[in-house]
Structures are given as C-alpha cells and as structure tokens.
Amino acid sequence: MNQYDAIVIGAGHNGLTNGAYLAKAGLKVAVLERNPYIGGATVSRELHKGWYYSNCSYVASLLRPEITRDLELPRHGLQVVPFGGGATFMQNGDHLGSYSDHDRHYREIARHSKRDANAYDRYVADTSRQTKLIRPYLLKTAPDPTSLKLRDLRDLIEFAKSFTSMGEEGLLDTIKFWTASVGDYLNEYFETDVLKAHLAGSGIIGTALGVYSPGTAYVLLHHYMGDVDGNVGAWGFARGGMGAVADALSKAFLSYGGEIICDANVDEIIVRDGQAKGVALKDGTEYYADIVVSNLDPKRTFLDITNPKDLPEDVIQKAQNFKIRGSSGKLNIALDGLPIFDGLDPRSKLMAGDLHFSDSLERQERAYDDWKNGTWSKDPYLDMMIPSLTDPTMAPPGKHMMSVFVQYAPPKVEGRDWTDEDKDGFEKSVIDQIAKYSPNFKDLILHCETRTPREIEAEVGLTEGNIFMGELTFDQLLFNRPFPGYAQYRGPIKGMYMCSSGTHPGGGVMAAPGANAAREILMDLKRPNTVPGGYADD
C-alpha cells in the first residue's frame, strides 16, 4: 500500500503543484506533509476564535496565471481580490498615498515633488521593461551555460537574444539594474525621501540586505513580476486567506488521483545503488517510489534528509554555502475594530492597501544595521495590511484582522537562540511603531500571534525563517539556483528531484518551481508533458 510512482516531500504550494502535474500525467503520487495541515507557508489558520490569519505569506500576485488556468484553481475555490493603493506615514504627520488611478497618483506625488511626479512614469516604464524581460523565463528551465547539450545551447541562444534585442543602452541598463542597490537605483529617479522609502520596501522584503546593498534592485523586480487578472504588478488577497491557494491546489491534485498524507515527517530519502527508492519517516514508516521530489529548501534537502554517504562531497559543500539568512518576522493581530491613523480618513481606499511607517532610506538602512548587530530592528520597516477590509471572511462582523510583515529580525539574537523575552521585545517594537501613528490601535488588540525566525523555522520548516528559501541575489539566480550543476531540478542521486522556492525562479507564492520540476521529471520518464508553457505578455 506504500508503493507509489512518485513521492513529493512537503505539501507547500510548490509541492502540491508538482504533485498535481505528475498525477495529471497518470502517475500514482503521494505528497507527504510533516504538519497536520497542508500549505507550508501558504496557510490560513484560526488561531483566535473567529479570526483567520494568513500567518505566513499574506498577499497574492506571483502565482502564475498559466498554472491557475490549467489546474482550474478558480473552479476549486480560489478567488483573488485585487487591492490598490496604500500609504507611507511620515514623522511630520503627513503621508504619501499610493493610488491605482494614474492621475490621482500623479497629483499625490506632485504634492510632495513635481519633479518626482514627472519622473514616476519613466521609472514605471523602465522597471516594466525589466519585468517583461524576465517573465517569459519563469515557466522555463534555466539553461546550463556549462553544458554542451543541444537543448541548453539552444536555450542559451534564446536567452541571449532576449538581452541583445534590448540594444546596447538597454543591455547596460539591465546589467546595472540586476546588480544595483534599490537605494541607488531609486536615487537616480527621485528626490523625495518618502517616495523612495515607499518604493524601496519591495527591495528588502524577505531579504537579509539593506536598501544600499547591491542586488536589492532585483528583489524589487521580483515583487513586480506578478499579476492579478492580467494586471502586471498588481497584488490581491486570496479570499479566505492564503490557505485558499493551497486548498485549491490540493483539490486539483486530489482530482487527478493524488494522495496527501499529513503528520508524515520525513527522516531520510532511501537510496539503494545510487537510486532513490522512497523515504523513511521519523516514526519508522517507509514509503517507496523511484521518483522522490523534495519541496524543502536546499539546506534541508541535502543536509537533513539525505545521507551524506549518498552525496558527492561538492554537493554537501555547496549546500552548506548556499545563502539562506533569516531576516523577517510577522505579527498577526485580531482587532476589536478599525484603527484610526493620523491624517488618514478611515473611509479612504488607502486603508485597504499596504501601510508603511519608514519615511526615508536612512531609517530603513538603520533598521538593517540592527540586524547586522544581531538584534531585531528597533525602528523596523513594516508592511502592514488590514485584509478584512477587502475580505470580510477573515474576521467576525465589525472586527478586523491585521497582518504585519517585519524587517528585520535575525535568525540568532547576538549569536544565541531567541528567547521568549526576545520575542516579547520584538513584538513590542512593532506594536509601538504602529501606535505612534494610530492613537486607538493598542486598545483594539484582542490577540496577537508573533512569529520570529525561530517560530517560522520550527513550524514551517524554512531554514532560519528565510521566506524565499535562499537569497535572491545574482549569484543565486537562474542557472545558479540553488547552485551550478543542479539548477535544472535534478539532484545528484538518480530519481531525486527538487521543486522548492530554492530552485529557479525563486521564492514567493509562484508555483513555477513546482511546475518546472514536474516538466523535467516527465521528460526523464518519457511521459507526455502536462505542464503549460508561459504566456506571452501583451
């Protein structure tokens, strides 16, 4: 009864996507999950009665529309409701609003700087050009530049053409963009501190780098390459919380005959004569299959659940050197009503967007300084939202749920493990910052779930609490992700594959790594490909 064609380790969104496409091709597939619930970091949990928290990932945009349509996720209950706008509050009592309406947004920026309002369209055009360059490669396997295989040579030529077609000036801009800091990049366009700070947040979210660290401009791009209903760069809330994404993927997987087994904590991949043969759980149960797919990050895959004797020494070393550095925390808060923010009408559409409290690049860089010094940021960068304003299913009538993503929180506090006292101090720094701008906020708090990198790693299995399963720096992208020689989803053991966000094209609730890995597995098995190709952008 424990024999399958393929076993997928981890029921996060990529594991479920991978399993769905393998099952769709006719394979007998089991997805094993160590927790009693599915979803990994893509979950909705009722941790306070009547309130549903998206207690890890909290907004949707990166999920590839090709996968959504092909697996019929809306038919399985997925509904993503777009939200627009947001605001960054300033220490002087003013704020910068971000509006989805172009003319309204222009007037708002012009209120702070006419020069920046005129520069904004140029900024959007330039970043859109970079987005259009990379989006076609999200649902493709990255070519190996060290390979002489015809397929890799062909893909490399195609990849090179997409860059050279930009012309010399465009190519120079692209190289600079992919290697620049988000702070330096924004300084080339804008003069207003609050506008630069508002945009720079997308370059540091989930990243152990500061706004002036090289490579953070690409992280900004990573957050721009998604879409909602065809609107590139838009974001939305999954109705019912982010667990709705995993729930829809699981229903698609089950509809193809797949099996999900929870409370199945994998201890080791079983290898015989250099071939993967299944997995052994920590309770001693064994499941067998000639295809084993890990949806765990590269460190956990190669250093935790694979016996070192089954691996080449260079793979162990590469896994040890792979950069996974925790930098983020999260608060989920049940509120007795709607908080009021200084200078912002509670009925404003901006309230339904993302709200921030760091109004300069200097404040954001100082927050990173705290991380470098081994402590949480005392003046953190917050990405705060009230999803219940858009999705009333998240809280009881008249009540609200608040999601607060926090930069920065180190994996260790001054070199030691987090304590409960540290966690309380981290929570206090976040709540105090919000309260500076909202006079009634503290009085509305009914319950608060606080997650430092310690909780994220222990509960979700993300090493050091890194939400991307590896830094999105240039040395860990494309054919370098997770590391050279193993960037095409195949492990060093025959029949072993990887499908997590630690592979191309990286983190976020995208599902592309899971789909791409399935395509490679089916090709190796000489089975018909069930994975859709990428759609061309208009």
Side-chain angles (χ1 to χ4, degrees), residues 45-65:
R45 302 187 65 193
E46 187 183 19
L47 300 178
H48 184 65
K49 188 171 177 57
W51 275 261
Y52 290 87
Y53 296 161
S54 291
N55 66 334
C56 289
S57 61
Y58 55 104
V59 283
S61 171
L62 297 176
L63 183 64
R64 296 306 304 151

Side-chain angles (χ1 to χ4, degrees), residues 160-273:
K161 282 182 178 179
S162 65
F163 281 85
T164 56
S165 64
M166 304 180 76
E168 287 187 11
E169 185 176 348
L171 186 57
L172 287 171
D173 289 342
T174 298
I175 293 172
K176 184 169 68 173
F177 181 86
W178 282 41
T179 56
S181 74
V182 67
D184 288 335
Y185 183 71
L186 292 171
N187 281 334
E188 293 187 5
Y189 292 87
F190 307 116
E191 62 182 5
T192 312
D193 283 342
V194 66
L195 176 59
K196 289 185 284 188
H198 182 83
L199 297 170
S202 294
I204 59 174
I205 283 180
T207 305
L209 297 170
V211 290
Y212 286 111
S213 301
T216 46
Y218 175 81
V219 181
L220 176 101
L221 173 66
H222 195 82
H223 287 97
Y224 283 3
M225 64 176 64
D227 64 86
V228 176
D229 292 337
N231 297 309
V232 176
W235 289 81
F237 294 117
R239 185 172 175 84
M242 288 300 286
V245 176
D247 186 55
L249 285 167
S250 70
K251 289 177 179 177
F253 171 57
L254 295 173
S255 73
Y256 297 125
E259 181 178 351
I260 297 172
I261 304 171
C262 289
D263 295 308
N265 197 353
V266 172
D267 183 54
E268 186 176 327
I269 296 174
I270 300 171
V271 180
R272 294 177 187 149
D273 299 322

